[in-house]
Amino acid sequence: MTHDTIIRGGTVVDGTGAPARTADVAIDGGVITEVGRVSDRAARVIDADGLLVTPGFVDIHCHYDGQASWGERMIPSSWHGVTTVVVGNCGVGFAPVRPADHERLVELMEGVEDIPGAVLHEGLTWSWQSFPEFMDALDHRPYDVDLAVQVPHGALRLHVMGERGARREVATPDDIAAMARIARESIEAGALGFSTSRTLNHRTSKGELTPTLTAEADELVGIARAIGETGRGVLQGVSDFADVDAEFALFRRMAEESGRPLSFSLVQVRGDTWRRQLQLLAAANADGVPMTGQVAPRPVGLILGLECTLHPLLTNREYRELAALPLAERVRALADPACKARVLAADAAAREGAAGRSGRIIDAFDRMYELGDPPDYEPDPASSIAARAAREGREPLDLAYDLLLADAGRAFLYMPFLNYADGNLDAVGEMLAHPNTVLGLGDGGAHLGTICDASFPTTLLTLWVRDRDHGRLDLPLAVRRQTSATARTVGLLDRGVLAPGYRADVNLIDFDRLGAHRPEMRHDLPAGGKRLVQGATGYVATMVAGQITYEHGEARDPLPGRLVRGPQPAPATGGAR
Ligand SMILES: [Zn+2]
């Protein structure tokens, strides 16, 4: 017989956790038909000798809700081997919505996810009100990856409760019934899940707390229960876990009373809270309550630079005079030694005068690093801006100033924000190795001027399998963590495994050369909006449904990705574990 495609002689890491083996992969009609020694012929034969062949990565924590409504390419995720994205996380999104509330949702997304209001106003068509209408607006649009959506609690609460919802008033039984009904209908129409936020880090662009922050158990469990009645759908949450046990108990109740799986963001802030969360996760799963921690393979990191939302000169009196200039002119002005002297003097004066300066992120030079190319995501604390400046006998801002001006003002500083309390990633290693965690938190499509973490899949394979000098992970386990494991977490059982019957979403990887580049700022969003993006080397080819979408980082024409409606069953012929 003749196949559409045969990928020949690669090192197959099939996504189940099974050991790597040399095998051919045959593909027909967008589906894998054979894995092993395939002696048939094919319309297209791809030589994969010396390459890893893995399932495409399933990134369950993205925020491309806006980007998917106006664009086709979910970059930077799709530059990092990702072939399926799940959006609508953390309680934020753009449906359901009443026309009068457009501004409110834009302010929420602008504040929580650092997506500029101008970009959203220009990009969003608002051709929907209900969540099913939002899905219809995305349906039949071609994408470079498959895309699944979740109902965001923030939008749902504003839709049902209006101003009372925004002010975080307690939901009445009628409010809860209305939210539960809409959530259930949205799941029935094909939303993959429901998401909520309980973190003080999430505020609107006006500084107001996110509407769902203090939602009570009756509201959360009430919505979850209604979703449970459909027999499908997953739950996702983010929380500060200020009281670990109480907060975990609330999430557990949502999962337990609905019978639906729940995943939440699991990070190291300070202390051992994350270890307690791992214990509670293990206990829940031992009791048959399916709960999963979404973990990151590196710090959740802030990127600071002259074009970014944050940088150390941001509030400096002398700098503010120049802040509105285009980058090139600003850099020219800042390069003048007299200008630098004025900026440093203004900083010294501000430090003497103001008590309010303590604890500001943009002054935390002991946690700030120069971001090289390729980036070092586990920087030695001895190389922090503060440590280097101390060795050179100058003010940290003096050094940071010079670093920011490098590369014509396009250089970046990096601040590990979460997962770096110990000055290393040993805690992350424990989280990654835990049986009840999967890769998550990349936040692709969000934090456009502050964070560029959609490259997590590349970091998991490079830092944790290849580069670290201790605590490395097994390659099959690392691949499993971001393929079949993530796919299962959200109910997409038709992908994430290289076996007959599964979708032919495939990566061909030159593992020795694999690496993420230094992030860069691009001005290619609606209204000329900017975003941090990050390319990679080593993804020789990425296939979605059997078609090559990217080759060596270059986009190819096919856009085989589509909206995925609802959970997908495992193939009848699948032999995956
Ligand atoms: Zn998020």
Side-chain angles (χ1 to χ4, degrees):
M1 86 176 264
T2 300
H3 297 284
D4 291 354
T5 302
I6 295 176
I7 302 169
R8 223 176 256 298
T11 302
V12 171
V13 180
D14 69 7
T16 65
R21 66 190 198 277
T22 303
D24 309 323
V25 177
I27 296 169
D28 294 280
V31 171
I32 295 167
T33 44
E34 255 187 278
V35 179
R37 180 182 287 270
V38 181
S39 51
D40 307 325
R41 294 194 310 197
R44 172 173 58 183
V45 175
I46 299 172
D47 177 12
D49 186 25
L51 302 179
L52 291 184
V53 182
T54 75
F57 304 143
V58 178
D59 188 337
I60 60 172
H61 196 122
C62 296
H63 293 278
Y64 293 113
D65 304 64
Q67 197 162 322
S69 80
W70 65 68
E72 296 171 333
R73 297 190 179 273
M74 300 306 117
I75 58 172
S77 293
S78 42
W79 290 341
H80 292 269
V82 171
T83 53
T84 300
V85 298
V86 179
V87 307
N89 282 287
C90 302
V92 287
F94 302 109
V97 63
R98 297 180 202 289
D101 286 334
H102 290 169
E103 182 61 34
R104 223 201 279 274
L105 280 195
V106 166
E107 282 168 9
L108 185 59
M109 208 61 160
E110 184 173 25
V112 172
E113 303 295 357
D114 193 23
I115 303 174
V119 169
L120 296 171
H121 280 301
E122 167 116 354
L124 292 170
T125 60
W126 297 116
S127 60
W128 59 84
Q129 292 193 34
S130 71
F131 200 85
E133 285 168 1
F134 174 64
M135 276 187 279
D136 289 342
L138 303 183
D139 213 347
H140 306 303
R141 285 182 64 93
Y143 298 114
D144 59 353
V145 295
D146 263 12
L147 180 125
V149 297
Q150 301 174 100
V151 192
H153 190 191
L156 179 59
R157 199 168 207 270
L158 293 177
H159 181 77
V160 167
M161 296 175 63
E163 188 58 35
R164 289 184 300 118
R167 284 200 308 265
R168 293 179 292 108
E169 287 185 17
V170 175
T172 66
D174 284 350
D175 294 331
I176 295 170
M179 284 188 267
R181 179 180 51 78
I182 294 172
R184 187 177 53 222
E185 286 168 3
S186 303
I187 298 284
E188 282 165 349
L192 212 52
F194 164 83
S195 72
T196 193
S197 165
R198 303 173 66 72
T199 171
L200 291 165
N201 289 329
H202 286 174
R203 291 170 192 261
T204 73
S205 55
K206 288 182 172 164
E208 293 155 354
L209 295 163
T210 199
T212 56
L213 179 76
T214 49
E216 297 195 341
D218 285 350
E219 178 178 344
L220 288 163
V221 175
I223 295 169
R225 252 201 232 119
I227 291 169
E229 286 164 15
T230 68
R232 53 201 273 191
V234 297
L235 310 169
Q236 184 265 346
V238 57
S239 166
D240 291 335
F241 284 95
D243 178 339
V244 187
D245 285 30
E247 201 65 2
F248 191 94
L250 174 58
F251 279 158
R252 178 170 166 155
R253 245 190 93 191
M254 288 173 69
E256 217 161 6
E257 295 199 20
S258 68
R260 303 313 307 160
L262 182 144
S263 69
F264 64 88
S265 300
L266 175 46
V267 291
Q268 179 196 38
V269 183
R270 67 189 81 76
D272 263 0
T273 304
W274 59 276
R275 264 212 187 97
R276 176 73 185 146
Q277 288 169 284
L278 289 178
Q279 288 166 359
L280 291 167
L281 269 177
N285 282 281
D287 294 344
V289 182
M291 294 179 73
T292 304
Q294 292 189 21
V295 298
R298 64 185 205 222
V300 173
L302 304 181
I303 298 201
L304 303 96
L306 291 177
E307 287 193 287
C308 299
T309 306
L310 298 173
H311 61 78
L313 303 177
L314 199 62
T315 59
N316 185 283
R317 180 162 42 83
E318 292 291 331
Y319 173 81
R320 287 174 75 104
E321 307 276 307
L322 308 169
L325 292 176
L327 181 67
E329 283 175 54
R330 222 179 332 148
V331 169
R332 210 174 305 128
L334 290 167
D336 176 2
C339 177
K340 181 178 176 185
R342 284 197 303 275
V343 167
L344 294 183
D347 181 64
R351 260 182 292 130
E352 266 178 30
R357 280 208 36 185
S358 61
R360 295 197 320 176
I361 279 177
I362 59 173
D363 299 323
F365 293 111
D366 57 331
R367 295 194 287 144
M368 211 181 282
Y369 301 85
E370 182 178 6
L371 188 67
D373 191 8
D376 178 359
Y377 287 115
E378 193 173 15
D380 182 348
S383 69
S384 74
I385 305 289
R388 284 172 60 183
R391 282 199 296 274
E392 295 171 19
R394 54 173 168 161
E395 281 297 324
L397 186 64
D398 185 344
L399 172 58
Y401 190 105
D402 294 350
L403 294 174
L404 286 170
L405 287 188
D407 194 14
R410 290 190 182 81
F412 294 124
L413 304 177
Y414 178 67
M415 179 189 282
F417 182 62
L418 299 168
N419 286 345
Y420 219 60
D422 305 326
N424 63 59
L425 293 175
D426 290 350
V428 163
E430 267 185 63
M431 291 187 230
L432 285 170
H434 193 275
N436 302 122
T437 65
V438 297
L439 197 76
L441 302 190
D443 269 348
H447 309 298
L448 301 177
T450 36
I451 294 176
C452 195
D453 281 345
S455 56
F456 276 178
T458 303
T459 297
L460 183 62
L461 295 187
T462 53
L463 187 62
W464 285 100
V465 178
R466 191 189 64 194
D467 296 342
R468 224 163 166 259
D469 63 9
H470 67 287
R472 283 195 303 274
L473 299 176
D474 212 32
L475 175 64
L477 172 77
V479 170
R480 181 171 176 271
R481 277 282 189 274
Q482 57 188 356
T483 54
S484 67
T486 41
R488 264 145 217 273
T489 299
V490 295
L492 299 177
L493 307 185
D494 61 336
R495 61 196 68 205
V497 175
L498 298 180
Y502 284 86
R503 269 174 63 91
D505 299 342
V506 185
N507 282 314
L508 273 65
I509 299 171
D510 182 345
F511 191 46
D512 292 338
R513 291 179 56 241
L514 186 66
H517 303 163
R518 191 176 76 172
E520 57 177 304
M521 190 66 86
R522 290 209 178 166
H523 299 257
D524 59 354
L525 289 180
K530 60 193 178 182
R531 58 172 159 175
L532 286 162
V533 296
Q534 180 173 25
T537 298
Y539 291 104
V540 173
T542 297
M543 300 174 103
V544 170
Q547 300 189 54
I548 294 181
T549 48
Y550 290 87
E551 240 179 314
H552 294 287
E554 299 287 328
R556 294 291 170 245
D557 283 337
L559 291 166
R562 293 292 182 272
L563 177 72
V564 183
R565 282 187 189 263
Q568 303 293 313
T573 52
R577 285 167 284 177

